[in-house]
Coordinates of all heavy atoms in Angstrom, one line a residue:
D22 N 3.6 13.0 -16.7 CA 3.1 13.7 -15.6 C 3.2 12.7 -14.3 O 2.9 11.6 -14.4 CB 1.7 14.1 -15.8 CG 1.0 14.8 -14.7 OD1 1.6 15.7 -14.2 OD2 -0.1 14.4 -14.4
R23 N 3.7 13.3 -13.2 CA 4.0 12.5 -12.1 C 2.7 11.8 -11.5 O 2.8 10.7 -11.0 CB 4.7 13.4 -11.0 CG 5.0 12.6 -9.7 CD 6.0 11.5 -10.0 NE 6.2 10.7 -8.8 CZ 6.5 9.4 -8.8 NH1 6.5 8.7 -9.9 NH2 6.7 8.8 -7.7
M24 N 1.6 12.5 -11.6 CA 0.4 11.9 -11.1 C 0.0 10.6 -11.8 O -0.3 9.6 -11.1 CB -0.8 12.9 -11.3 CG -2.1 12.4 -10.7 SD -3.4 13.6 -11.1 CE -3.6 14.4 -9.5
Q25 N 0.2 10.6 -13.1 CA 0.0 9.3 -13.8 C 1.0 8.3 -13.5 O 0.6 7.1 -13.4 CB 0.0 9.6 -15.4 CG -0.4 8.4 -16.2 CD -1.7 7.8 -15.9 OE1 -2.7 8.6 -15.9 NE2 -1.8 6.6 -15.7
Q26 N 2.2 8.7 -13.3 CA 3.3 7.7 -12.9 C 2.9 7.1 -11.5 O 3.1 5.8 -11.4 CB 4.6 8.4 -12.8 CG 5.2 8.8 -14.1 CD 6.5 9.6 -13.9 OE1 6.8 10.2 -12.9 NE2 7.4 9.6 -14.9
V27 N 2.5 7.9 -10.6 CA 2.1 7.3 -9.3 C 0.9 6.4 -9.4 O 0.9 5.3 -8.8 CB 1.8 8.5 -8.3 CG1 1.2 8.0 -7.0 CG2 3.1 9.2 -8.0
Q28 N -0.1 6.7 -10.2 CA -1.2 5.8 -10.4 C -0.8 4.5 -11.0 O -1.2 3.5 -10.6 CB -2.3 6.5 -11.3 CG -3.0 7.6 -10.6 CD -4.0 8.4 -11.6 OE1 -4.0 8.1 -12.7 NE2 -4.8 9.2 -11.0
D29 N 0.1 4.6 -12.0 CA 0.7 3.4 -12.6 C 1.4 2.6 -11.6 O 1.4 1.3 -11.6 CB 1.6 3.8 -13.8 CG 0.8 4.4 -15.0 OD1 -0.5 4.3 -15.0 OD2 1.5 5.0 -15.8
E30 N 2.2 3.2 -10.7 CA 3.0 2.5 -9.7 C 2.0 1.8 -8.8 O 2.3 0.6 -8.4 CB 3.9 3.4 -8.9 CG 5.1 3.9 -9.8 CD 6.0 4.8 -9.0 OE1 6.3 4.5 -7.9 OE2 6.4 5.9 -9.6
W31 N 1.0 2.4 -8.3 CA 0.0 1.8 -7.4 C -0.7 0.6 -8.2 O -0.9 -0.4 -7.6 CB -1.1 2.8 -6.9 CG -0.6 3.6 -5.8 CD1 -0.5 4.9 -5.8 CD2 -0.2 3.1 -4.5 NE1 0.0 5.3 -4.5 CE2 0.2 4.3 -3.7 CE3 -0.1 1.9 -3.9 CZ2 0.6 4.2 -2.4 CZ3 0.3 1.8 -2.5 CH2 0.7 2.9 -1.8
A32 N -1.0 0.8 -9.5 CA -1.7 -0.2 -10.2 C -0.8 -1.5 -10.4 O -1.3 -2.6 -10.6 CB -2.1 0.3 -11.6
E33 N 0.5 -1.3 -10.3 CA 1.4 -2.4 -10.3 C 1.7 -3.0 -8.9 O 1.7 -4.2 -8.7 CB 2.7 -2.0 -10.9 CG 3.8 -3.0 -11.0 CD 5.1 -2.5 -11.5 OE1 5.1 -1.8 -12.5 OE2 6.2 -2.7 -10.8
L34 N 1.8 -2.1 -8.0 CA 2.2 -2.5 -6.6 C 1.1 -3.3 -5.9 O 1.3 -4.3 -5.3 CB 2.6 -1.2 -5.8 CG 3.1 -1.4 -4.4 CD1 4.3 -2.4 -4.4 CD2 3.5 -0.1 -3.8
I35 N -0.1 -2.8 -6.0 CA -1.2 -3.4 -5.2 C -1.4 -4.9 -5.6 O -1.5 -5.8 -4.8 CB -2.5 -2.6 -5.3 CG1 -2.3 -1.3 -4.5 CG2 -3.7 -3.4 -4.8 CD1 -3.4 -0.2 -4.7
P36 N -1.5 -5.2 -6.9 CA -1.6 -6.6 -7.3 C -0.4 -7.4 -6.9 O -0.5 -8.6 -6.6 CB -1.8 -6.6 -8.8 CG -2.3 -5.2 -9.2 CD -1.7 -4.3 -8.1
A37 N 0.8 -6.8 -6.9 CA 2.0 -7.5 -6.5 C 1.9 -7.9 -5.1 O 2.2 -9.1 -4.7 CB 3.2 -6.7 -6.8
V38 N 1.4 -7.0 -4.2 CA 1.3 -7.3 -2.8 C 0.2 -8.4 -2.6 O 0.4 -9.3 -1.9 CB 0.9 -6.0 -2.0 CG1 0.6 -6.4 -0.6 CG2 2.1 -5.1 -2.0
R39 N -0.9 -8.2 -3.3 CA -2.0 -9.2 -3.2 C -1.5 -10.6 -3.6 O -1.9 -11.6 -2.9 CB -3.2 -8.7 -4.1 CG -4.4 -9.6 -4.0 CD -5.6 -9.1 -4.9 NE -6.2 -8.0 -4.2 CZ -6.1 -6.7 -4.6 NH1 -5.5 -6.4 -5.7 NH2 -6.7 -5.7 -3.9
A40 N -0.7 -10.7 -4.6 CA -0.2 -12.0 -5.1 C 0.7 -12.6 -4.0 O 0.6 -13.8 -3.8 CB 0.5 -11.8 -6.4
R41 N 1.5 -11.8 -3.4 CA 2.4 -12.4 -2.3 C 1.6 -12.8 -1.1 O 1.9 -13.9 -0.5 CB 3.4 -11.3 -1.9 CG 4.6 -10.9 -2.8 CD 4.7 -11.6 -4.0 NE 5.8 -11.2 -4.9 CZ 5.7 -10.5 -6.0 NH1 4.5 -10.1 -6.4 NH2 6.7 -10.3 -6.8
M42 N 0.5 -12.1 -0.8 CA -0.3 -12.5 0.3 C -1.0 -13.8 0.0 O -1.0 -14.7 0.8 CB -1.4 -11.4 0.6 CG -0.8 -10.1 1.2 SD -2.1 -8.9 1.3 CE -3.3 -9.6 2.4
A43 N -1.6 -13.9 -1.3 CA -2.3 -15.1 -1.7 C -1.4 -16.3 -1.7 O -1.8 -17.5 -1.4 CB -2.9 -14.9 -3.0
A44 N -0.1 -16.1 -2.0 CA 0.9 -17.2 -2.0 C 1.4 -17.6 -0.7 O 2.2 -18.5 -0.5 CB 2.1 -16.8 -2.9
G45 N 1.0 -16.8 0.4 CA 1.4 -17.1 1.7 C 2.9 -16.7 2.0 O 3.5 -17.2 2.9
I46 N 3.4 -15.7 1.3 CA 4.8 -15.3 1.5 C 4.8 -14.4 2.7 O 4.0 -13.5 2.8 CB 5.3 -14.6 0.2 CG1 5.3 -15.6 -0.9 CG2 6.7 -14.0 0.5 CD1 5.7 -15.0 -2.3
A47 N 5.7 -14.6 3.6 CA 5.8 -13.9 4.8 C 6.1 -12.4 4.5 O 6.9 -12.1 3.6 CB 6.9 -14.5 5.7
P48 N 5.5 -11.5 5.3 CA 5.8 -10.1 5.1 C 7.3 -9.7 5.3 O 7.7 -8.7 4.8 CB 4.9 -9.4 6.1 CG 4.2 -10.4 6.9 CD 4.6 -11.8 6.4
E49 N 8.0 -10.6 6.1 CA 9.4 -10.3 6.4 C 10.3 -10.8 5.3 O 11.5 -10.6 5.4 CB 9.8 -11.0 7.7 CG 9.0 -10.5 8.9 CD 7.7 -11.3 9.0 OE1 7.4 -12.2 8.3 OE2 6.9 -10.8 9.9
S50 N 9.8 -11.4 4.2 CA 10.6 -11.9 3.1 C 11.2 -10.8 2.3 O 10.6 -9.7 2.3 CB 9.8 -12.8 2.2 OG 8.9 -12.0 1.4
P51 N 12.4 -11.0 1.8 CA 13.0 -9.9 1.0 C 12.2 -9.3 -0.1 O 12.2 -8.1 -0.3 CB 14.3 -10.6 0.4 CG 14.6 -11.7 1.4 CD 13.2 -12.2 1.9
E52 N 11.4 -10.2 -0.8 CA 10.6 -9.6 -1.9 C 9.5 -8.7 -1.4 O 9.1 -7.7 -2.0 CB 10.1 -10.7 -2.8 CG 9.1 -11.7 -2.2 CD 8.7 -12.9 -3.1 OE1 7.9 -12.7 -4.0 OE2 9.3 -14.0 -2.8
V53 N 8.9 -9.1 -0.2 CA 7.8 -8.3 0.3 C 8.4 -7.0 0.9 O 7.8 -5.9 0.8 CB 6.9 -9.1 1.3 CG1 5.9 -8.2 2.0 CG2 6.3 -10.3 0.6
L54 N 9.6 -7.1 1.5 CA 10.2 -5.9 2.1 C 10.5 -4.9 1.0 O 10.3 -3.7 1.2 CB 11.5 -6.3 2.8 CG 11.4 -7.1 4.1 CD1 12.7 -7.5 4.7 CD2 10.5 -6.5 5.1
A55 N 10.9 -5.4 -0.2 CA 11.1 -4.5 -1.3 C 9.8 -3.8 -1.8 O 9.8 -2.6 -2.1 CB 11.7 -5.3 -2.5
L56 N 8.7 -4.6 -1.8 CA 7.4 -4.0 -2.1 C 7.0 -3.0 -1.0 O 6.4 -1.9 -1.3 CB 6.3 -5.1 -2.2 CG 6.5 -6.1 -3.4 CD1 5.5 -7.2 -3.3 CD2 6.4 -5.3 -4.7
A57 N 7.3 -3.3 0.2 CA 6.9 -2.4 1.3 C 7.7 -1.1 1.2 O 7.1 0.0 1.5 CB 7.2 -3.0 2.7
K58 N 8.9 -1.1 0.8 CA 9.7 0.1 0.6 C 9.1 1.0 -0.5 O 9.0 2.2 -0.3 CB 11.2 -0.2 0.2 CG 12.0 -0.8 1.3 CD 13.4 -1.1 0.8 CE 14.2 -1.7 1.9 NZ 15.6 -2.1 1.5
R59 N 8.7 0.3 -1.6 CA 8.0 1.1 -2.7 C 6.7 1.7 -2.1 O 6.4 2.8 -2.4 CB 7.7 0.2 -3.8 CG 8.9 -0.2 -4.6 CD 8.7 -1.1 -5.8 NE 7.6 -0.7 -6.7 CZ 6.9 -1.4 -7.5 NH1 7.2 -2.7 -7.5 NH2 6.0 -0.9 -8.3
W60 N 5.9 0.9 -1.4 CA 4.6 1.3 -0.9 C 4.8 2.5 0.0 O 4.2 3.6 -0.1 CB 4.0 0.2 -0.1 CG 2.7 0.4 0.5 CD1 2.3 1.3 1.5 CD2 1.5 -0.3 0.2 NE1 1.0 1.1 1.8 CE2 0.5 0.1 1.0 CE3 1.2 -1.4 -0.7 CZ2 -0.9 -0.3 0.9 CZ3 -0.1 -1.9 -0.8 CH2 -1.1 -1.3 0.0
M61 N 5.8 2.4 1.0 CA 6.0 3.5 1.9 C 6.5 4.8 1.2 O 6.2 5.9 1.6 CB 6.9 3.1 3.0 CG 6.4 1.9 3.9 SD 4.7 2.1 4.4 CE 4.8 3.5 5.5
A62 N 7.3 4.6 0.2 CA 7.8 5.8 -0.6 C 6.7 6.5 -1.2 O 6.6 7.7 -1.2 CB 8.9 5.3 -1.6
L63 N 5.7 5.7 -1.8 CA 4.6 6.4 -2.4 C 3.7 7.1 -1.4 O 3.2 8.2 -1.6 CB 3.7 5.3 -3.2 CG 4.4 4.8 -4.5 CD1 3.6 3.7 -5.0 CD2 4.5 5.9 -5.5
V64 N 3.5 6.4 -0.2 CA 2.7 7.0 0.9 C 3.4 8.3 1.3 O 2.8 9.3 1.5 CB 2.5 6.0 2.0 CG1 2.0 6.7 3.3 CG2 1.6 4.9 1.6
Q65 N 4.7 8.3 1.5 CA 5.5 9.4 1.9 C 5.3 10.6 1.0 O 5.1 11.7 1.4 CB 7.0 9.1 2.1 CG 7.9 10.2 2.4 CD 7.7 10.8 3.8 OE1 7.2 10.1 4.7 NE2 8.1 12.0 4.0
E66 N 5.4 10.2 -0.3 CA 5.2 11.3 -1.4 C 3.9 11.9 -1.3 O 3.7 13.1 -1.4 CB 5.5 10.7 -2.7 CG 5.4 11.7 -3.9 CD 5.8 11.1 -5.2 OE1 6.3 10.0 -5.3 OE2 5.5 11.7 -6.2
F67 N 2.8 11.1 -1.1 CA 1.5 11.6 -1.1 C 1.2 12.4 0.2 O 0.5 13.4 0.1 CB 0.5 10.4 -1.2 CG -1.0 10.8 -1.0 CD1 -1.6 11.4 -2.1 CD2 -1.7 10.6 0.2 CE1 -2.9 11.7 -2.0 CE2 -3.0 11.0 0.3 CZ -3.6 11.6 -0.8
T68 N 1.7 11.9 1.3 CA 1.3 12.6 2.6 C 2.3 13.7 2.9 O 2.0 14.5 3.9 CB 1.3 11.6 3.7 OG1 2.6 11.1 3.9 CG2 0.3 10.5 3.5
G69 N 3.5 13.8 2.3 CA 4.5 14.7 2.6 C 5.0 14.4 4.0 O 5.6 15.3 4.7
G70 N 4.9 13.2 4.5 CA 5.3 12.8 5.8 C 4.4 13.2 7.0 O 4.7 13.0 8.1
D71 N 3.2 13.7 6.6 CA 2.2 14.1 7.7 C 1.4 12.9 8.1 O 0.6 12.4 7.4 CB 1.3 15.2 7.1 CG 0.4 15.8 8.1 OD1 0.1 15.1 9.1 OD2 -0.1 16.9 7.9
P72 N 1.6 12.5 9.4 CA 0.9 11.3 9.9 C -0.6 11.5 9.9 O -1.3 10.5 9.8 CB 1.5 11.0 11.3 CG 2.5 12.1 11.5 CD 2.6 13.0 10.4
A73 N -1.0 12.7 10.0 CA -2.5 12.9 10.1 C -3.1 12.6 8.7 O -4.2 12.1 8.7 CB -2.8 14.4 10.5
I74 N -2.4 12.9 7.6 CA -2.9 12.6 6.3 C -3.0 11.1 6.1 O -3.9 10.5 5.6 CB -2.1 13.3 5.2 CG1 -2.3 14.8 5.3 CG2 -2.5 12.8 3.8 CD1 -1.3 15.6 4.4
G75 N -1.9 10.4 6.5 CA -1.9 9.0 6.5 C -3.0 8.3 7.2 O -3.6 7.4 6.8
K76 N -3.2 8.9 8.4 CA -4.3 8.3 9.2 C -5.7 8.5 8.6 O -6.5 7.7 8.6 CB -4.3 8.9 10.6 CG -5.3 8.3 11.6 CD -5.2 8.9 13.0 CE -6.2 8.3 13.9 NZ -6.1 8.7 15.2
A77 N -5.9 9.7 8.0 CA -7.1 10.0 7.3 C -7.4 9.1 6.1 O -8.5 8.6 5.9 CB -7.1 11.5 6.9
V78 N -6.3 8.8 5.4 CA -6.4 7.9 4.2 C -6.8 6.5 4.7 O -7.7 5.8 4.2 CB -5.1 7.9 3.4 CG1 -5.1 6.8 2.4 CG2 -4.9 9.2 2.7
M79 N -6.1 6.0 5.8 CA -6.4 4.7 6.3 C -7.9 4.6 6.8 O -8.6 3.6 6.6 CB -5.5 4.4 7.5 CG -4.1 4.2 7.1 SD -3.7 2.7 6.3 CE -4.0 1.5 7.7
T80 N -8.3 5.7 7.5 CA -9.7 5.7 7.9 C -10.7 5.7 6.7 O -11.7 4.9 6.8 CB -10.0 7.0 8.7 OG1 -9.1 7.0 9.9 CG2 -11.4 7.1 9.2
M81 N -10.4 6.4 5.7 CA -11.2 6.4 4.5 C -11.3 5.0 3.9 O -12.4 4.5 3.6 CB -10.7 7.3 3.4 CG -11.5 7.3 2.2 SD -10.7 7.9 0.7 CE -9.4 6.8 0.5
Y82 N -10.2 4.3 3.8 CA -10.2 3.0 3.2 C -10.9 2.0 4.1 O -11.6 1.1 3.7 CB -8.8 2.4 3.0 CG -8.2 2.9 1.7 CD1 -7.1 3.7 1.6 CD2 -8.8 2.6 0.4 CE1 -6.5 4.2 0.4 CE2 -8.3 3.0 -0.8 CZ -7.2 3.8 -0.8 OH -6.6 4.3 -1.9
A83 N -10.8 2.2 5.4 CA -11.5 1.3 6.4 C -13.0 1.5 6.3 O -13.8 0.5 6.3 CB -11.1 1.6 7.8
Q84 N -13.5 2.7 6.1 CA -14.9 3.0 6.1 C -15.5 2.9 4.7 O -16.7 2.5 4.5 CB -15.1 4.5 6.5 CG -14.8 4.7 8.0 CD -14.9 6.1 8.4 OE1 -15.1 7.0 7.6 NE2 -14.9 6.3 9.7
E85 N -14.7 3.2 3.6 CA -15.3 3.2 2.3 C -14.6 2.2 1.3 O -14.9 2.2 0.1 CB -15.2 4.6 1.7 CG -15.9 5.6 2.5 CD -15.6 7.1 2.0 OE1 -15.4 7.2 0.8 OE2 -15.7 8.0 2.9
G86 N -13.8 1.3 1.9 CA -13.0 0.4 1.0 C -13.9 -0.5 0.1 O -13.6 -0.7 -1.1
D87 N -14.9 -1.0 0.7 CA -15.8 -1.9 -0.1 C -16.4 -1.1 -1.3 O -16.4 -1.6 -2.4 CB -16.9 -2.5 0.8 CG -16.4 -3.5 1.8 OD1 -15.2 -4.0 1.5 OD2 -17.1 -3.8 2.7
T88 N -16.9 0.1 -1.0 CA -17.5 0.9 -2.1 C -16.4 1.2 -3.1 O -16.7 1.1 -4.4 CB -18.1 2.2 -1.5 OG1 -19.1 1.8 -0.6 CG2 -18.7 3.0 -2.6
L89 N -15.2 1.6 -2.7 CA -14.2 2.0 -3.6 C -13.8 0.7 -4.5 O -13.5 0.9 -5.7 CB -12.9 2.5 -2.8 CG -13.1 3.8 -2.2 CD1 -11.9 4.1 -1.3 CD2 -13.2 4.9 -3.3
R90 N -13.7 -0.5 -3.8 CA -13.4 -1.7 -4.6 C -14.5 -2.0 -5.6 O -14.2 -2.5 -6.7 CB -13.1 -2.8 -3.7 CG -11.7 -2.9 -3.2 CD -11.4 -4.1 -2.3 NE -12.0 -4.0 -1.0 CZ -11.6 -3.2 0.0 NH1 -10.6 -2.4 -0.2 NH2 -12.2 -3.1 1.1
E91 N -15.7 -1.7 -5.3 CA -16.8 -1.9 -6.3 C -16.6 -1.0 -7.5 O -16.9 -1.4 -8.6 CB -18.2 -1.7 -5.7 CG -18.6 -2.7 -4.7 CD -19.9 -2.3 -4.0 OE1 -20.6 -1.4 -4.4 OE2 -20.2 -3.0 -3.0
Q92 N -16.1 0.2 -7.2 CA -16.0 1.2 -8.3 C -14.6 1.0 -9.1 O -14.6 1.2 -10.3 CB -16.0 2.6 -7.7 CG -17.3 3.0 -7.1 CD -17.2 4.3 -6.3 OE1 -16.1 4.9 -6.1 NE2 -18.3 4.8 -5.9
M93 N -13.6 0.6 -8.3 CA -12.2 0.6 -8.9 C -11.6 -0.8 -9.0 O -10.5 -0.9 -9.5 CB -11.3 1.5 -8.1 CG -11.8 3.0 -8.1 SD -10.8 4.0 -7.0 CE -9.2 3.9 -7.8
G94 N -12.3 -1.8 -8.5 CA -11.8 -3.2 -8.6 C -10.6 -3.4 -7.7 O -10.4 -2.8 -6.6
D95 N -9.7 -4.2 -8.2 CA -8.5 -4.6 -7.5 C -7.4 -3.6 -7.3 O -6.4 -3.8 -6.7 CB -7.9 -5.9 -8.1 CG -8.7 -7.1 -7.9 OD1 -9.6 -7.1 -7.1 OD2 -8.5 -8.1 -8.6
R96 N -7.7 -2.4 -7.8 CA -6.7 -1.3 -7.6 C -6.8 -0.7 -6.2 O -6.0 0.2 -5.9 CB -6.9 -0.2 -8.7 CG -6.6 -0.8 -10.1 CD -6.9 0.3 -11.1 NE -8.3 0.6 -11.2 CZ -8.8 1.7 -11.6 NH1 -8.0 2.6 -12.1 NH2 -10.1 1.9 -11.7
V97 N -7.7 -1.1 -5.4 CA -7.9 -0.5 -4.1 C -7.4 -1.5 -3.0 O -7.8 -2.7 -3.0 CB -9.4 -0.2 -3.8 CG1 -9.6 0.3 -2.4 CG2 -9.9 0.7 -4.9
P98 N -6.5 -1.1 -2.2 CA -5.9 -2.0 -1.2 C -7.0 -2.3 -0.1 O -7.9 -1.6 0.2 CB -4.8 -1.2 -0.5 CG -5.1 0.2 -0.8 CD -5.9 0.2 -2.1
T99 N -6.8 -3.5 0.5 CA -7.7 -4.0 1.5 C -7.1 -3.7 2.9 O -5.9 -3.5 3.0 CB -8.0 -5.5 1.4 OG1 -6.7 -6.2 1.6 CG2 -8.6 -5.9 0.0
T100 N -8.0 -3.9 3.9 CA -7.5 -3.7 5.3 C -6.4 -4.8 5.5 O -5.4 -4.5 6.2 CB -8.7 -3.9 6.2 OG1 -9.7 -3.0 5.9 CG2 -8.2 -3.8 7.7
E101 N -6.6 -6.0 5.0 CA -5.6 -7.0 5.2 C -4.2 -6.6 4.5 O -3.2 -6.9 5.1 CB -6.1 -8.3 4.6 CG -7.3 -8.9 5.3 CD -8.6 -8.3 4.9 OE1 -8.7 -7.5 3.9 OE2 -9.6 -8.5 5.7
M102 N -4.3 -6.0 3.4 CA -3.1 -5.5 2.7 C -2.3 -4.5 3.6 O -1.1 -4.5 3.7 CB -3.4 -4.9 1.3 CG -3.8 -6.0 0.3 SD -4.3 -5.2 -1.2 CE -2.7 -5.0 -1.9
F103 N -3.1 -3.6 4.2 CA -2.5 -2.6 5.0 C -1.8 -3.2 6.2 O -0.7 -2.9 6.6 CB -3.5 -1.6 5.5 CG -3.9 -0.5 4.5 CD1 -5.3 -0.5 4.1 CD2 -3.0 0.4 4.0 CE1 -5.7 0.5 3.2 CE2 -3.4 1.3 3.0 CZ -4.8 1.4 2.6
A104 N -2.4 -4.3 6.8 CA -1.8 -5.0 7.9 C -0.5 -5.7 7.5 O 0.5 -5.7 8.2 CB -2.8 -6.0 8.5
Y105 N -0.6 -6.3 6.3 CA 0.5 -7.1 5.7 C 1.7 -6.1 5.5 O 2.9 -6.4 5.9 CB 0.1 -7.7 4.4 CG 1.0 -8.7 3.7 CD1 1.3 -9.9 4.2 CD2 1.6 -8.3 2.5 CE1 2.1 -10.8 3.5 CE2 2.4 -9.2 1.8 CZ 2.6 -10.4 2.3 OH 3.4 -11.3 1.6
I106 N 1.5 -5.0 4.8 CA 2.5 -4.0 4.6 C 3.0 -3.4 5.9 O 4.2 -3.2 6.1 CB 2.1 -3.0 3.6 CG1 1.9 -3.5 2.2 CG2 3.0 -1.8 3.6 CD1 3.2 -4.1 1.6
G107 N 2.1 -3.3 6.9 CA 2.5 -2.8 8.2 C 3.5 -3.7 8.8 O 4.5 -3.3 9.4
K108 N 3.3 -5.0 8.7 CA 4.2 -6.0 9.3 C 5.5 -5.9 8.6 O 6.6 -6.0 9.2 CB 3.6 -7.4 9.2 CG 2.5 -7.7 10.1 CD 1.9 -9.1 9.9 CE 0.7 -9.3 10.8 NZ 0.1 -10.6 10.5
A109 N 5.5 -5.8 7.3 CA 6.8 -5.6 6.5 C 7.5 -4.4 6.9 O 8.7 -4.4 7.1 CB 6.5 -5.7 5.0
N110 N 6.7 -3.3 7.1 CA 7.4 -2.0 7.5 C 8.0 -2.1 8.9 O 9.1 -1.6 9.1 CB 6.3 -0.9 7.5 CG 6.9 0.5 7.5 OD1 8.0 0.7 7.0 ND2 6.3 1.3 8.3
L111 N 7.4 -2.9 9.8 CA 8.0 -3.1 11.1 C 9.3 -3.9 11.0 O 10.2 -3.6 11.7 CB 7.0 -3.8 12.0 CG 5.8 -2.9 12.6 CD1 4.9 -3.8 13.4 CD2 6.4 -1.8 13.4
A112 N 9.2 -4.9 10.1 CA 10.4 -5.7 9.9 C 11.6 -4.8 9.3 O 12.7 -4.9 9.7 CB 10.1 -6.8 8.9
L113 N 11.2 -3.9 8.4 CA 12.2 -3.0 7.8 C 12.8 -2.1 8.9 O 14.0 -1.9 8.9 CB 11.5 -2.1 6.7 CG 11.3 -2.7 5.4 CD1 10.4 -1.8 4.5 CD2 12.6 -3.0 4.7
K114 N 12.0 -1.6 9.8 CA 12.5 -0.8 10.9 C 13.4 -1.6 11.8 O 14.4 -1.0 12.3 CB 11.3 -0.2 11.6 CG 10.6 0.9 10.9 CD 9.4 1.5 11.7 CE 8.7 2.5 10.9 NZ 7.5 3.1 11.6
G115 N 13.0 -2.8 12.0 CA 13.8 -3.7 12.8 C 15.2 -4.0 12.2 O 16.2 -4.1 12.9
T116 N 15.3 -4.1 10.9 CA 16.5 -4.4 10.2 C 17.4 -3.2 10.1 O 18.6 -3.3 9.9 CB 16.3 -5.0 8.8 OG1 15.6 -4.1 8.0 CG2 15.6 -6.3 8.9
S117 N 16.8 -2.0 10.2 CA 17.6 -0.8 10.0 C 18.1 -0.2 11.3 O 18.8 0.8 11.4 CB 16.8 0.3 9.3 OG 15.7 0.8 10.1
G118 N 17.6 -0.9 12.4 CA 18.0 -0.4 13.7 C 17.2 0.7 14.2 O 17.5 1.3 15.3
A119 N 16.1 1.1 13.5 CA 15.3 2.2 13.9 C 14.4 1.8 15.0 O 14.0 0.7 15.2 CB 14.5 2.8 12.7

């Protein structure tokens, strides 16, 4: 079932991003750019490309992230992770000429 696959992908992706951040790896590095591509593909799939849905999810994590992390542990991205992936995404856009 695709829903389980997506949950599994997030369960792998979030710790991978967290590890790169902890290691001080630049968001513009090739390995983080690859993670950002996966991240953005999952976000695109979830939101259907609707920026309003993406914004609502970001707001939810900003407001309820601590509670969600208490309930779900390290499977919940932090505000810092969103910023890190955001920087990688900007680098991706810069390299694609977009």
Side-chain angles (χ1 to χ4, degrees):
D22 181 47
R23 182 61 185 146
M24 184 187 255
Q25 184 60 49
Q26 289 175 337
V27 169
Q28 288 176 352
D29 292 346
E30 288 181 47
W31 280 118
E33 178 185 310
L34 185 57
I35 290 170
V38 171
R39 185 176 282 110
R41 288 356 178 252
M42 289 174 62
I46 297 172
E49 301 84 7
S50 72
E52 65 186 283
V53 176
L54 294 179
L56 293 173
K58 286 179 186 178
R59 286 178 55 200
W60 183 296
M61 298 313 294
L63 289 171
V64 168
Q65 174 71 21
E66 183 176 344
F67 176 77
T68 65
D71 185 337
I74 294 172
K76 185 175 180 180
V78 170
M79 292 286 292
T80 299
M81 180 203 60
Y82 279 117
Q84 294 175 349
E85 301 175 27
D87 291 339
T88 301
L89 290 170
R90 274 183 289 287
E91 287 174 15
Q92 296 169 354
M93 300 173 62
D95 287 345
R96 294 179 293 157
V97 177
T99 63
T100 303
E101 293 81 12
M102 290 177 80
F103 285 117
Y105 186 74
I106 289 296
K108 289 177 184 176
N110 194 38
L111 285 174
L113 283 170
K114 289 179 180 178
T116 60
S117 68

